[in-house]
């Protein structure tokens, strides 16, 4: 019985307090990101490798969009110039309110010359 209560207690720990690191791999029409994202109490941390393939003109960017009790916050973590790539160390951004959810996205220019994001990934 005590084991079931302990398991239930762990299941109720929110990502905002757990701060678990999550591996994330994303792509868009012209870019890729591979790294990790950590959601903490009013903070997001991310690091990794970002690359713009150079197929289409313009830079690319990696974002984490956080929804909290006070609103939605789209945070740009890294940009990369056309045809370039680099690895970035941990970067941190803060947000107000209580964490509800978050999604990471990789965005770039596509073949039609439109800024577009690839499929997002839920983090946290």
């Amino acid at each position: 019985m005590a084991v079931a209560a302990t398991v239930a207690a762990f299941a109720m720990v929110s990502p905002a307090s757990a701060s678990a690191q999550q591996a994330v791999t994303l792509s868009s029409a012209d870019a890729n990101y591979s790294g990790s994202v950590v959601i903490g109490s009013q903070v997001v941390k991310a690091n990794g490798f970002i690359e713009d393939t150079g197929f289409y003109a313009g830079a690319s960017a990696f974002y984490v969009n956080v929804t909290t009790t006070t609103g939605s916050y789209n945070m740009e973590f890294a940009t990369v110039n056309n045809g370039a790539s680099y690895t970035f160390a941990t970067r941190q951004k803060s947000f107000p309110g209580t964490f509800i959810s978050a999604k990471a996205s990789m965005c770039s220019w596509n073949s039609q010359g439109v800024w577009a994001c690839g499929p997002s990934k839920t983090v946290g």
Side-chain angles (χ1 to χ4, degrees), residues 15 17 25 33 36 42 51 53 63 71 86 90 98 102 104 106 109 119-121:
S17 61
T25 301
Y33 165 78
S36 66
Q42 296 186 313
E51 166 188 44
T53 62
Y63 298 91
Y86 65 94
T90 300
T98 302
M106 187 70 216
W109 297 98
S120 61
K121 180 172 182 176

Side-chain angles (χ1 to χ4, degrees), residues 9-32:
F10 279 120
M12 292 189 293
V13 174
S14 73
S17 61
S19 297
Q21 182 172 328
Q22 184 173 348
V24 177
T25 301
L26 299 164
S27 62
S28 61
D30 190 30
N32 301 295

